[in-house]
Amino acid sequence: MSLQASTDARSAVAPGPAPGAGRAEPLVRLSGVTRRFGAHVAVHPVDLAVHRHDFVAILGPSGCGKTSLLRMIGGFLEPSGGTIEIAGRDVTRLPPDRRPTNMVFQGYGLFPHMTVRQNVAYGLRIARVSAAERDRRVEEALALVHMESFADRLAPQLSGGQAQRVALARTLVMRPEVLLLDEPLAALDLKLRKTMQEELRGIHRSIGGTFVFVTHDQEEAMALANRILVMQDGRVVQEGGPTEIYGRPATRFVATFVGDANLFDGRRAGGRVDLDIGPAFADAGRDGPVTAVVRPQAITLETGPAAAAGAAGRGGDRIALDGRLVDIVPLGPSVKFLVAVGDREIAVTRTVTGPVEPLEIGSRVVLSWRPADQVVIAGGPAP
Amino acid sequence: MTLRRGPLVLLSPAFGVFAVCFVLPAAYFFVVSFWQVRSYRLVKETTAENYLRVFTDYSGPLLDTLVLAFIVATTVTGFAFFYVYLCRFKAGRFAPLLLFAAMLTLFGGYLTKIYMWRTILGDSGILNASLITAGLIEEPISVFLFNPVAVVITLGHYLVPFAILPLYGVMHAIRDDPLEAARDLGASRWHVFRHIVLPQCRTGIVAAFTLTFLFTSGDFATARLVGGPDASLFGVFVQGQFTQRLNQPMGAAMAFTMLACCLVVVSAVALGVRRAVAYR
C-alpha cells in the first residue's frame, strides 16, 4: 500500500476514538513545561495530556524543540520550569532510572559489547527479575520483533533495521507505562521504514501501550499517531488528530509542513475574500489578511474546450484560475502537474487509475476547486 | 588471491625495515645468547649455561625489576584511567585543554624529566628547601632521592601521557546513547560504569599497561640517575654485560630472559583484565 493512498484514506476516515475525549485522568500530564539553554528558549511552556493507549507524535522540523520535549519526559533533560506528572506522580526532578518510561534512542543505543539477548535482558537484570522469568520475557520480546534467531549475535553485527528491532524489544521487555521513541525510524531506508511503521502499529495494537514519538516526517506521524503535536520554534502550534491536522491546519506553517499545500494570500472584507491572484469568494470571519490553503489533490485540472472558455467561463460554484502547464511529474500512484498562474507555480495532483491521457507542456489549462475543499486561515505571509 | 598482492607490496618496505633493523639483530643475539666468551673472544659452543646463570646470579634484580615495572605500570595506568575518565565524562568543554596539558609534558625529553626530578627531590632541591623554610627540618634530608620510590615517581611522570593515549582512544569511542539507554533501563551510575563503560575500555587498559610495563622493565637510565644502589634495574646489568664486561652472550641471555618474563606478565595481565572487566 503506498503512503500517498494511506494518507488519503486516513484523511477521509477518522481513525480510532477521539483522543482524550471524555476519558479518565491522563497518564502523562505536562503543565507549562519549559526549557531554556542560556538565553535561548528551546521549549516554550507546553501543556500536554497523554492518555493510556495514545500513540502521540511530536512533529516538527529539526531544531523545533521536539527532542528536548521528549527528553524532558524521559528524564534526560531537566525542565527550566513546569511540572511533569506520570501516572499521578510528579516526576519532574526524577532521574531516568526512576521513571516508569523507557526510551528508544535515535542511534538505538545498543550495548556494543553485549549480545542481543544480553541487551534485551539488561533492564530486567538491573531490576533483579529472576532468571527464569527474565529468560521468558526476553524470548517473548524478541519474538514480538521477530528477532529470536539473532539472540546470540553481538550488537554491532546487526543491520540498521535489526538494531532498531532490538532497541524496541529492549524497552518493551520492561513493560513501561510510557514508551518514548526519538526519531525511531529516521536512520532506515524508505522500504524498511514502511515495514517498521506497520510493525510499530501492530505492536501498539497488540500490547495496548502508550507511545510518544518524535519525528520530522509528517507521513510517519500521520501513519502512526492518533494524536499529533506540531511544533515550530519551541512552541506547539497545533494539536489534534491526523485528519484534523491535515484537513484543518491552524497556521500557514502547519499547512505546508504537514503535506503539500498551495497557499493563496488574500484579504477579507465584509464576509468576502479577494485572493491576490484573482478570484473572490464568500467567507465569513474577521476582516484582514487571510491565506487560502488548497491541497494539490483538491484542484481539478481541465484542458481542451473547457480551457478555451477560460476561468471566467466556469460555473460560479467553483474557484477557478487560468494557467499554463509547465511540468508533469509522474509519482507512481499519482501524477503531479505544475501549472504557472501569473508568476506563481501551482501544484496539482491527480490519482492515476488508468492510462494517462497525453497532455502537452505549455498548453492552456483551467484550475478549479470547490470552496469547501479549501481552508481559510487568518493572517498573511510572515513580514 | 591477486587482490591480496597489492597490500603486500605496499607493506613490504615497512616489513623490510622491521626485518633488517629488528628481526635479524634479535635473531643474531638469540643465537649468541647460547654461546660463550673466553678471554674476551666469542666461542661458538651452544650451551644453556648463560640462562642458568641468569637465574643463579641475577634473579634478585630480575624479580625487583618486574615488581617495580608492575607497580609503575599499574599506578600509571590507574592514574591515566582516572584522568581520561574525567576528561571524557566530567570535564565537558575543558576536556581538550586537560588532554593538551597532559600531552604538553611530552615536550620535555626523557632525560630532562629525570634531571627535573633530581632537582626537585635532591639535597638542594625544592622539596628540601621548602621543608627547611617551613621549619620542619634543619638540614637537607636525602630520603627523597636514590630509592625505588623516586624511580616510580620519575618513570610514572614520564609515562602517564603514553598511558593516556590508548585509554583516550577507547573512551572516546564509547558513545553516549548506550550510557543513557542503560540509565533509562534502570541502571545506577555505578552500574553504567561497571556494565557499560569498563568492558569497553579493556583493550585500552591492556595497551596502557603493556606500554608502561615494557618501558619500565627495559629502562636503565632512570635507575642510574635517581634510583641509587638499592634500585638497580635489570637493564643496568644487561647494559653492563655489553659495555663493561664485554660479555655479549650473557647480556643477550639476560635480555631474552627478561623478554620471556615480560611476555608472561603481560599475557597474564591481559587475561586478568579481560576477566575482571568483562560484562557478566
Side-chain angles (χ1 to χ4, degrees):
Chain A
M1 186 170 88
S2 86
L3 203 94
Q4 181 66 46
S6 103
T7 308
D8 290 344
R10 301 200 98 230
S11 59
V13 183
R23 270 186 282 173
E25 204 41 23
L27 182 59
V28 181
R29 188 200 290 277
L30 270 60
S31 316
V33 170
T34 316
R35 175 66 203 198
R36 282 183 293 273
F37 292 104
H40 172 70
V41 184
V43 179
H44 289 273
V46 170
D47 295 314
L48 171 69
V50 178
H51 291 83
R52 222 168 266 281
H53 309 314
D54 265 353
F55 201 147
V56 177
I58 304 173
L59 172 68
S62 61
C64 72
K66 57 190 191 299
T67 294
S68 294
L69 188 59
L70 191 79
R71 289 175 67 82
M72 286 194 277
I73 302 175
F76 294 101
L77 190 64
E78 207 173 296
S80 312
T83 56
I84 301 171
E85 279 171 69
I86 300 177
R89 200 158 58 102
D90 185 345
V91 299
T92 315
R93 311 279 158 210
L94 288 187
D97 54 328
R98 295 180 50 205
R99 295 192 185 203
T101 56
N102 281 114
M103 180 134 138
V104 175
F105 291 83
Q106 189 171 6
Y108 313 135
L110 295 184
F111 310 129
H113 56 295
M114 296 188 199
T115 63
V116 166
R117 194 190 304 279
Q118 286 172 324
N119 262 283
V120 178
Y122 187 73
L124 297 178
R125 178 194 157 155
I126 294 293
R128 297 179 183 280
V129 172
S130 75
E133 161 97 1
R134 197 157 76 200
D135 289 348
R136 194 180 57 71
R137 278 168 68 175
V138 168
E139 287 306 316
E140 207 177 272
L142 286 176
L144 197 61
V145 296
H146 313 298
M147 287 293 290
E148 308 98 308
S149 52
F150 296 90
D152 296 314
R153 290 267 182 102
L154 277 174
Q157 296 169 338
L158 301 175
S159 71
Q162 293 165 344
Q164 170 64 64
R165 284 159 203 265
V166 174
L168 193 58
R170 188 174 66 176
T171 50
L172 289 175
V173 81
M174 302 302 291
R175 297 175 185 160
E177 292 271 19
V178 187
L179 180 64
L180 309 172
L181 305 106
D182 184 8
E183 298 267 7
L185 311 177
L188 305 180
D189 64 63
L190 188 66
K191 190 151 174 56
L192 200 51
R193 199 151 70 219
K194 298 282 185 272
T195 316
M196 284 305 293
Q197 280 176 10
E198 275 167 36
E199 287 194 20
L200 261 180
R201 277 179 74 92
I203 289 169
H204 180 254
R205 216 171 28 236
S206 69
I207 69 170
T210 309
F211 292 11
V212 178
F213 82 111
V214 152
T215 183
H216 64 269
D217 180 348
Q218 48 96 10
E219 290 185 355
E220 189 168 293
M222 302 276 240
L224 290 175
N226 68 342
R227 269 178 75 213
I228 298 174
L229 240 72
V230 186
M231 286 188 75
Q232 181 194 13
D233 299 334
R235 291 174 210 275
V236 176
V237 287
Q238 194 173 2
E239 185 187 342
T243 323
E244 188 186 341
I245 297 275
Y246 185 80
R248 302 217 62 82
T251 68
R252 291 168 65 103
F253 168 78
V254 176
T256 47
F257 191 73
V258 182
D260 294 324
N262 296 297
L263 302 186
F264 298 100
D265 301 332
R267 180 160 278 283
R268 180 159 45 207
R272 185 184 148 87
V273 172
D274 281 296
L275 294 182
D276 295 353
I277 205 161
F281 53 89
D283 188 79
R286 191 200 290 243
D287 289 359
V290 295
T291 305
V293 179
V294 189
R295 298 290 179 191
Q297 70 273 20
I299 301 178
T300 308
L301 180 143
E302 287 165 297
T303 52
R314 288 295 284 93
D317 59 326
R318 294 176 76 89
I319 298 162
L321 293 169
D322 286 313
R324 192 171 50 80
L325 188 59
V326 175
D327 200 2
I328 303 175
V329 188
L331 298 172
S334 63
V335 180
K336 180 155 105 182
F337 302 99
L338 292 176
V339 178
V341 177
D343 57 353
R344 284 281 308 272
E345 207 163 82
I346 291 163
V348 178
T349 52
R350 185 190 287 176
T351 311
V352 176
T353 47
V356 185
E357 74 271 31
L359 277 178
E360 213 173 300
I361 289 184
S363 58
R364 288 173 51 82
V365 295
V366 168
L367 305 180
S368 65
W369 64 91
R370 295 187 305 146
D373 289 336
Q374 71 184 358
V375 177
V376 181
I377 299 170
Chain B
M1 279 301 116
T2 46
L3 269 177
R4 304 189 61 169
R5 202 175 291 156
L8 278 184
V9 169
L10 291 174
L11 279 172
S12 56
F15 274 136
V17 171
F18 185 67
V20 172
C21 298
F22 182 78
V23 178
L24 278 180
Y28 168 74
F29 279 110
F30 187 68
V31 173
V32 166
S33 72
F34 291 97
W35 292 351
Q36 296 290 309
V37 162
R38 290 208 194 95
S39 317
Y40 300 107
R41 298 185 102 128
L42 214 51
V43 183
K44 298 180 181 179
E45 262 172 39
T46 306
T47 127
E49 204 181 301
N50 294 329
Y51 285 94
L52 286 176
R53 272 190 59 207
V54 175
F55 287 105
T56 53
D57 298 2
Y58 295 101
S59 57
L62 177 63
L63 207 64
D64 284 353
T65 304
L66 290 173
V67 169
L68 186 87
F70 187 83
I71 293 171
V72 169
T74 347
T75 320
V76 170
T77 305
F79 178 82
F81 186 91
F82 184 68
Y83 193 87
V84 175
Y85 185 85
L86 287 183
C87 286
R88 169 66 181 83
F89 295 107
K90 306 286 173 197
R93 63 202 172 92
F94 294 107
L97 198 69
L98 283 174
L99 283 169
F100 181 71
M103 292 304 129
L104 206 61
T105 67
L106 281 175
F107 278 86
Y110 170 48
L111 283 173
T112 319
K113 274 178 201 162
I114 294 176
Y115 280 101
M116 183 197 89
W117 281 106
R118 275 174 72 116
T119 315
I120 293 174
L121 302 173
D123 282 355
S124 53
I126 298 165
L127 197 56
N128 267 314
S130 341
L131 286 175
I132 290 170
T133 315
L136 292 172
I137 52 171
E138 287 174 2
E139 285 183 10
I141 47 176
S142 309
V143 295
F144 304 124
L145 205 55
F146 303 120
N147 60 47
V149 177
V151 178
V152 172
I153 292 175
T154 310
L155 276 173
H157 173 234
Y158 175 68
L159 290 172
V160 160
F162 295 101
I164 284 180
L165 285 175
L167 285 166
Y168 182 71
V170 290
M171 279 201 222
H172 189 69
I174 295 178
R175 296 183 34 192
D176 287 323
D177 268 7
L179 309 181
E180 292 196 328
R183 292 283 285 157
D184 187 59
L185 292 166
S188 63
R189 287 174 205 285
W190 161 249
H191 283 142
V192 172
F193 174 75
R194 179 62 193 84
H195 293 152
I196 317 296
V197 175
L198 202 53
Q200 295 190 65
C201 293
R202 196 194 85 220
T203 52
I205 294 172
V206 171
F209 179 90
T210 306
L211 269 174
T212 47
F213 182 84
L214 291 183
F215 187 91
T216 311
S217 61
D219 180 64
F220 55 90
T222 314
R224 269 280 171 74
L225 296 167
V226 299
D230 294 342
S232 281
L233 290 179
F234 197 66
V236 176
F237 293 97
V238 176
Q239 187 208 17
Q241 292 292 344
F242 280 98
T243 57
Q244 285 145 30
R245 303 199 181 191
L246 303 179
N247 191 342
Q248 281 190 11
M250 191 58 211
M254 289 167 78
F256 276 104
T257 308
M258 181 49 113
L259 191 69
C261 291
C262 286
L263 264 177
V264 170
V265 173
V266 167
S267 318
V269 167
L271 273 177
V273 170
R274 175 192 282 266
R275 298 191 119 214
V277 307
Y279 171 75
R280 283 187 301 271

